[in-house]
Amino acid sequence: AAPDIDWERPLSGKVAVVTGAARGIGATIAEVFARDGATVIVADIPAAGEALTQTANKVGGTALALDVTAPDAADRIAEFATERFGGLDIIVHNAGITRDKLLANMDEGRWNSVLEVNLAAPHRITAGLVEKGALKSGGRVVDVSSIAGIAGNRGQTNYGASKAGVIGMVNAEAPKLAEHGVTINAVAPGFIETAMTAAIPLGTREAGRLLSSLLQGGQTVDVAETIAYFASPASNAVSGNVVRVCGQAMI
Ligand code: NAI
């Protein structure tokens, strides 16, 4: 029989952590989760400061100053969620960075920092939470890949490798998480209008927008609503999947 779910607020009673939530896609995920009834913890680096507080206030959530690359990040997330709200149901690994450079100038520093934030940290946190049994049965992990991990992007060897890695990681983690009653899925956004893409040089930025058949960049809410589906009871039987949110682009 179908479980008894309040479809007006499908995340009611759920505790969710969204990383990189001070601004951009993460802030909109927090907003959509709060609308859907979740108790939302918004996490971002300490330097995000006031922006993180503002997002927390806007969505009626709680701020957690946390660099996802900290070795004890999983412990801190688990403790924060458990002490304040009695447990953790949903984690969205949204924090991500770019450090673009053409191949010849792709130094170790840029390579390592992007791989660390975008790929190693989500893995370390998911593994840590599972090891501690911190994610409740019925829980959700959602990772953020990118079209850059599926199709190539000039100057983004590090970023593309990290985001392709996210897809491999999600595929591999799904059976293990299933043992704990937890699903894991990923979104692969195309060009979305945020501070991250505003930093791209104008010509490349316009080319990015034109790759979408909508002929414009996507909005943060387009990504957030897809993630909300993966967080909701509606996706109970869906794990190990990647959904492209690419403005109907054929890539
Ligand atoms: P953004 O740059 O606007 O926001 C990213 C947030 O992550 C920032 O608030 C930043 O402070 C935070 N962050 C960075 N490093 C962190 C760390 N070590 N620990 C905790 N927080 C950290 O970026 P945007 O555009 O909102 O991107 C969000 C996610 O979506 C990223 O994973 C990005 O790679 C991905 N994405 C974005 C696309 C776009 O077109 N904007 C396309 C495809 C994927």
Side-chain angles (χ1 to χ4, degrees), residues 135-149:
L135 272 169
K136 288 187 191 161
S137 180
R140 299 286 194 262
V141 179
V142 187
D143 283 89
V144 179
S145 177
S146 168
I147 192 62

Side-chain angles (χ1 to χ4, degrees), residues 11 14-22 26-34 37-44 52-53 55-57 59-66 68 73-95 129 134-135:
L11 301 185
K14 305 290 183 189
V15 178
V17 170
V18 182
T19 68
T28 307
I29 298 166
E31 210 176 321
V32 169
F33 276 12
T39 298
V40 184
I41 298 166
V42 288
D44 210 299
L52 183 61
T53 313
T55 305
N57 292 341
V59 308
T62 309
L64 169 62
L66 175 86
V68 293
D75 292 349
R76 291 197 43 215
I77 288 168
E79 274 161 30
F80 193 86
T82 306
E83 280 168 17
R84 305 239 181 165
F85 306 111
L88 179 64
D89 300 281
I90 301 160
I91 179 140
V92 182
H93 297 298
N94 166 77
L129 293 175
L135 272 169

Side-chain angles (χ1 to χ4, degrees), residues 19-27 29 43-48 66-70 93-99 117-118 121 144-148 159 163 187-197 200 220 223:
T19 68
R23 68 179 197 191
I25 294 170
I29 298 166
D44 210 299
I45 47 175
L66 175 86
D67 184 329
V68 293
T69 65
H93 297 298
N94 166 77
I97 58 169
T98 51
R99 295 285 182 271
V117 175
N118 296 1
V144 179
S145 177
S146 168
I147 192 62
Y159 185 77
K163 294 299 188 178
V187 290
F191 188 100
I192 308 295
E193 303 287 354
T194 69
M196 181 181 273
T197 44
I200 297 171
T220 57
V223 181

